[in-house]
């Protein structure tokens, strides 16, 4: 995923562009660049690495002009080197383009441009775009058209149908300093309306400090921005009129407060995330109150959940709850796999897409495919019924699905998802309770699993206690995990074990550790270790064992014993356990219902990963090779 910004107005563009890029840096941070237009010239600055390098270049060289574009990159095509950084220019150096997405047919386009004598300076897919627009401009100029904003717009509109893939892009042209053209096709792009100026960006944090009035672009739309106004066109070239909307709340502004990293701040915000969820959806006197239409629930016989990474781990906990609490057969798929090997269609299916960003291309593509194949059957029993669970209701997911559950966790900047994971878990608790309530007394497929209303109510009232439990847990484990981190100074491999509802939490613990500390880690179902992976264990491989009283407690403790017998250093995430000598280190948990335990066991996972990475001096919020959400397949 990359971030793009573009500005046109009456003040120097570069400082605002850099400011916008700073807010978008979580989207990609291996190189950055800006291009501004003034005096019939393009002023382009690029730098490899973080944005500070680009800012230093700007301090040194400047970039004059009141119109410009900027980009922060997460490499897809071409290494993270300066020559592959955006903006990319045409051969004359007069036209510049930034793009977020992937141009899938770039090889074919590149070959035909090369056949016409065009020289490429980068390995990127994006570079075909300025060359194609330049050729279009030349053809039109040769036919007598004068340089103008409308000419630039027409050239971009003529080129877009040649591009296959998902993209958002912005274009400036030295010959027309008063015009900026932007386009969106399956990658996010929003226009912010200031006073006599317009700022476009991939995401709201870049806009929030500039304006609260925004116009999210729709797929296929192209906009011509001048200091005087916006002209919006659909993919057929027809003018579109749409009323801007208002960004509300403070959740769009990224602020680290006094924390060392955004990730730590976001871990500490989880009691608040839970408190907000409880206040909104678990009112006293009702079991659960979700803002969903009854048609989400009616007649559902099966559920399938599509997601990636951490969101998929939340989905796995969700599937456990939906099956155990509501008795609905539920499958979880990697969204990136689903699209290419979808299961046979079955009737009365609810499809849930889980994505905190609402922009993950794999998840969106899988959902869109499912929607299409169900629509094509024209059979009401197979009709698409799509529910999205997200932290960004204004995202592409929000526009794709018919029903949406907003987890309301506020902006999450750290690349490693923490509070949004908790929010997703809570959404699934709410959903499972809501289904279970509606299925009371039903027989046949999809019948209630037999949990009585009283049992469901007991769970709901324990959920209401969650914010307080989390507050204490985050506070205590922050200190404990900070003290433990030095034990992992030379560690190269860690195994996380869990069973039942805590198996996904073991996988989440391993993913967190991998992505921010670069330590190899595996999350494994504890009972499976003896079937192979136990061969990995020795005194150099710590094992984190999640052991919660309930259906598999004794089994997990035996599995932990097996690891200890192979000299593994054992870290227990457990309430005080019967065998006090079992664990070398205990990260204690309060007593809780096993079904609710993932909401607690995940906290030591997050804090352990955080402190190990911070202890190693790593860039916790922007780990190498990653981006906050991945908008390419
Ligand atoms: C989470 O820590 C990861 N950065 C990553 O696995 C993430 O969960 C995944 O890319 C899906 O993102 P989404 O929730 O925005 O769809």
């Amino acid at each position: 995923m990359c971030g793009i910004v573009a500005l046109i107005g009456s003040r120097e563009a570069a400082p605002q562009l850099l400011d916008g890029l700073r807010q978008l840096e979580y989207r990609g941070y291996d190189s950055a660049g800006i291009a501004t237009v003034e005096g019939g010239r393009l002023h382009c600055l690029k730098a490899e690495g973080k944005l500070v390098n680009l800012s230093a270049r700007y301090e040194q060289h400047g970039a004059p002009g009141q119109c410009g574009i900027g980009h922060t990159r997460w490499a897809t095509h071409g290494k993270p080197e300066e020559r592959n950084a955006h903006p990319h220019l045409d051969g004359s150096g007069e036209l510049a383009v930034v793009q977020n997405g992937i141009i899938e047919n770039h090889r074919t386009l590149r070959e035909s441009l090369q056949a016409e004598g065009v020289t490429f300076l980068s390995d990127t897919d994006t570079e075909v775009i300025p060359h194609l627009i330049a050729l279009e401009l030349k053809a039109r100029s040769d036919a007598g058209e004068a340089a103008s904003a409308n000419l630039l717009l027409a050239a971009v509109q003529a080129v877009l149908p040649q591009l296959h893939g998902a993209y958002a892009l912005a274009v400036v042209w030295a010959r027309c300093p008063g015009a900026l053209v932007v386009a969106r096709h399956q990658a996010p792009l929003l226009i912010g309306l200031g006073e006599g100026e317009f700022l476009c960006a991939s995401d709201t944090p870049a806009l929030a400090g500039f304006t609260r009035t925004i116009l999210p672009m729709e797929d296929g739309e192209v906009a011509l921005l001048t200091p005087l106004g916006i002209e919006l066109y659909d993919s057929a070239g027809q003018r579109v009129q749409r009323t801007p909307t208002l960004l509300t709340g403070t959740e769009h502004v990224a602020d680290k407060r006094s924390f060392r990293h955004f990730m730590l701040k976001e871990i500490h915000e989880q009691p608040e995330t839970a408190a907000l969820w409880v206040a909104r959806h678990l009112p006293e006197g009702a079991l659960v109150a979700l803002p969903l239409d009854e048609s989400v629930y009616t007649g559902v016989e099966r559920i399938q959940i599509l997601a990636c990474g951490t969101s998929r781990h939340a989905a796995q906990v969700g599937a456990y709850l939906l099956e155990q609490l509501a008795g609905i057969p539920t499958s979880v798929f990697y969204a990136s796999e689903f699209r290419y090997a979808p299961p046979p269609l079955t009737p009365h299916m609810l499809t849930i897409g889980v994505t905190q960003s609402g922009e993950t291309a794999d998840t969106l593509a899988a959902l869109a495919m499912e929607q299409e194949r169900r629509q094509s059957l024209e059979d009401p029993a197979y009709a698409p019924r799509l529910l999205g669970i997200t932290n960004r209701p204004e995202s592409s997911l929000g526009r794709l699905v018919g029903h949406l559950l907003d987890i309301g966790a506020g902006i999450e900047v750290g690349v490693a998802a923490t509070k949004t994971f908790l929010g997703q878990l809570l959404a699934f608790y709410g959903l499972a309770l809501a289904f279970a309530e509606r299925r009371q007394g039903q027989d046949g497929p999809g019948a209630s699993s037999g949990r009585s209303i009283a049992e469901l109510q007991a769970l709901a009232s324990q959920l209401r206690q969650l914010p307080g439990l989390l507050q204490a847990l985050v506070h205590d484990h922050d200190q404990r995990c900070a003290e433990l981190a030095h034990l992992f100074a030379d560690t190269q491999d860690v195994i996380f074990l869990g069973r039942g509802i805590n198996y996904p939490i073991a996988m989440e613990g391993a993913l967190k550790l991998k992505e921010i500390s670069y330590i190899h880690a595996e999350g494994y179902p504890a009972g499976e270790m003896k079937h192979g992976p136990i061969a990995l264990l020795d005194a150099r491989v710590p094992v984190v064992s999640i052991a919660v009283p309930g259906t598999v407690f004794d089994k997990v403790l035996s599995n932990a014993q097996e690891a200890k017998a192979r000299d593994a250093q054992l870290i227990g995430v457990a309430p005080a356990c019967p065998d006090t000598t079992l664990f070398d280190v205990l990260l204690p948990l309060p007593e809780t219902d096993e079904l609710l335990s993932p909401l607690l066991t995940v906290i030591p996972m997050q804090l352990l990963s955080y402190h190990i990475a911070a202890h190693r001096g790593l860039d916790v919020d922007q780990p190498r090779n990653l981006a906050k959400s991945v908008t390419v397949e």
Side-chain angles (χ1 to χ4, degrees):
M1 170 172 80
C2 305
I4 65 177
V5 289
L7 179 80
I8 188 159
S10 53
R11 58 172 153 157
E12 283 296 287
Q16 183 69 50
L17 292 174
L18 289 169
D19 204 44
L21 290 179
R22 209 163 292 122
Q23 297 292 334
L24 294 183
E25 206 180 7
Y26 69 92
R27 296 175 68 90
Y29 35 81
D30 59 42
S31 59
I34 55 170
T36 55
V37 191
E38 194 190 65
R41 279 189 54 211
L42 208 61
H43 305 269
C44 187
L45 297 174
K46 301 184 190 189
E48 193 178 322
K50 298 259 170 99
L51 194 61
V52 286
N53 301 344
L54 179 66
S55 298
R57 291 241 160 122
Y58 171 66
E59 292 305 322
Q60 209 182 347
H61 303 287
Q66 294 157 356
C67 170
I69 55 180
H71 188 270
T72 178
R73 179 169 188 252
W74 181 71
T76 54
H77 291 74
K79 287 190 169 172
E81 294 168 355
E82 190 171 321
R83 69 194 182 87
N84 289 326
H86 297 217
H88 291 288
L89 312 186
D90 72 322
S92 71
E94 291 186 334
L95 186 106
V97 173
V98 289
Q99 191 255 139
N100 168 33
I102 286 203
I103 308 304
E104 286 170 355
N105 58 336
H106 73 103
R107 268 192 207 91
T108 324
L109 294 170
R110 179 182 276 249
E111 280 162 18
S112 59
L113 285 163
Q114 280 169 331
E116 290 188 49
V118 171
T119 306
F120 281 78
L121 301 178
S122 78
D123 303 325
T124 64
D125 53 333
T126 302
E127 198 185 342
V128 297
I129 307 173
H131 293 304
L132 288 169
I133 299 173
L135 282 180
E136 193 62 39
L137 284 170
K138 182 170 181 317
R140 288 166 188 255
S141 302
D142 290 350
E145 286 186 56
S148 70
N150 283 332
L151 177 61
L152 179 62
L153 172 69
V156 173
Q157 283 173 317
V159 164
L160 292 181
Q162 300 175 50
L163 308 178
H164 302 167
Y167 56 80
L169 56 85
V171 188
V172 288
W173 188 26
R175 295 201 197 179
C176 194
L180 174 66
V181 176
V182 294
R184 178 207 146 114
H185 183 63
Q186 293 173 3
L189 194 60
L190 307 113
I191 304 174
L193 287 71
E195 285 180 15
E197 55 184 0
F198 300 96
L199 181 69
C200 299
S202 309
D203 201 356
T204 50
L207 298 173
F210 175 84
T211 180
R212 291 268 151 181
T213 313
I214 60 158
L215 191 67
M217 288 180 72
E218 299 284 347
D219 276 343
E221 286 182 348
V222 183
L224 168 64
L225 308 178
T226 69
L228 299 178
I230 305 173
E231 290 176 19
L232 192 62
Y233 297 89
D234 65 16
S235 55
Q238 296 301 311
R239 195 68 192 266
V240 177
Q241 300 290 348
R242 208 170 39 251
T243 314
T245 55
L246 275 184
L247 273 182
T248 52
T250 55
E251 69 275 18
H252 302 286
V253 185
D255 175 10
K256 219 189 287 180
R257 307 214 308 260
S258 57
F259 289 93
R260 189 168 155 211
H261 293 104
F262 276 108
M263 182 181 175
L264 187 60
K265 183 194 84 146
E266 288 154 4
I267 292 172
H268 276 264
E269 281 171 348
Q270 292 176 108
E272 195 185 322
T273 307
L276 277 173
W277 176 265
V278 167
R280 283 178 189 146
H281 304 301
L282 293 173
E284 296 288 348
L287 183 66
V288 60
L290 297 182
L292 292 176
D293 198 88
E294 265 319 298
S295 61
V296 170
Y297 307 102
T298 314
V300 168
E301 287 181 2
R302 284 176 179 277
I303 296 178
Q304 58 187 2
I305 316 179
L306 316 178
C308 305
T310 287
S311 295
R312 187 175 156 276
H313 297 153
Q316 287 179 299
V317 174
Y320 191 102
L321 295 170
L322 287 160
E323 292 196 334
Q324 301 307 316
L325 279 181
I328 308 173
T330 304
S331 315
V332 178
F333 293 90
Y334 285 107
S336 55
E337 294 289 323
F338 182 87
R339 191 176 175 201
Y340 302 100
L345 288 170
T346 50
H348 308 296
M349 174 73 84
L350 170 66
T351 302
I352 305 179
V354 191
T355 157
Q356 62 80 22
S357 62
E359 300 295 352
T360 297
D362 287 321
T363 309
L364 296 178
L367 288 167
M369 190 273 278
E370 184 64 0
Q371 186 162 44
E372 244 173 74
R373 69 175 184 147
R374 284 185 175 271
Q375 260 160 359
S376 68
L377 285 185
E378 294 178 9
D379 178 340
Y382 289 83
R385 176 167 10 189
L386 262 52
L387 167 66
I389 297 181
T390 186
N391 197 33
R392 306 301 297 269
E394 74 287 0
S395 63
S396 303
L397 177 81
R399 286 190 287 279
L400 176 67
V401 298
H403 309 275
L404 206 61
L405 202 46
D406 177 6
I407 62 173
I411 189 160
E412 186 178 70
V413 173
V415 162
T418 52
K419 64 174 177 170
T420 54
F421 178 69
L422 188 91
Q424 290 167 343
L425 291 184
L426 286 167
F428 277 114
Y429 280 94
L431 204 57
L433 285 173
F435 267 112
E437 186 179 27
R438 283 164 179 76
R439 277 161 193 255
Q440 286 295 304
Q442 277 189 24
D443 295 322
S448 156
S449 62
R451 296 256 170 181
S452 67
I453 275 287
E455 285 171 307
L456 298 176
Q457 269 160 353
L459 272 180
S461 69
Q462 283 190 60
L463 274 171
R464 290 187 192 101
Q465 309 307 316
L466 182 68
L469 288 178
L470 284 174
Q471 189 75 48
L473 204 60
V474 169
H475 177 267
D476 295 351
H477 285 307
D478 193 3
Q479 187 60 34
R480 273 199 192 91
C481 292
E483 286 161 13
L484 267 186
H486 71 276
L487 293 179
F488 294 77
D490 300 316
T491 299
Q492 293 189 352
D493 305 278
V494 181
I495 305 286
F496 290 79
L497 300 180
R499 278 183 94 146
I501 197 166
N502 277 298
Y503 164 48
I505 303 301
M507 294 208 293
E508 176 60 6
L511 176 63
K512 286 283 91 84
L513 188 66
K514 276 186 269 209
E515 64 179 342
I516 60 170
S517 74
Y518 318 144
I519 295 175
H520 170 248
E522 295 299 335
Y524 226 72
E528 275 293 301
M529 281 297 282
K530 57 186 178 290
H531 298 294
I534 200 165
L536 294 170
L537 298 187
D538 61 25
R540 288 164 303 173
V541 182
V543 171
V544 179
S545 172
I546 307 173
V548 174
T551 44
V552 286
F553 189 44
D554 294 338
K555 303 275 182 231
V556 173
L557 294 180
S558 312
N559 300 143
Q561 281 287 4
E562 290 156 15
K564 195 179 170 81
R566 272 78 189 174
D567 295 329
Q569 195 195 15
L570 218 51
I571 296 151
V573 176
C577 96
D579 178 358
T580 47
T581 60
L582 175 61
F583 297 116
D584 298 295
V585 177
L586 180 68
L587 292 171
L589 294 172
E591 293 284 349
T592 185
D593 190 304
E594 184 187 19
L595 269 185
L596 301 182
S597 63
L599 296 161
L600 304 179
T601 54
V602 71
I603 301 296
M605 302 290 126
Q606 297 169 344
L607 283 164
L608 197 58
S609 302
Y610 169 77
H611 283 293
I612 291 171
H615 187 75
R616 292 183 166 215
L618 296 170
D619 190 344
V620 171
D621 287 331
Q622 296 181 343
R624 71 185 180 201
N625 305 340
L626 299 182
K628 183 67 188 158
S629 80
V630 185
T631 54
V632 292
E633 272 190 84

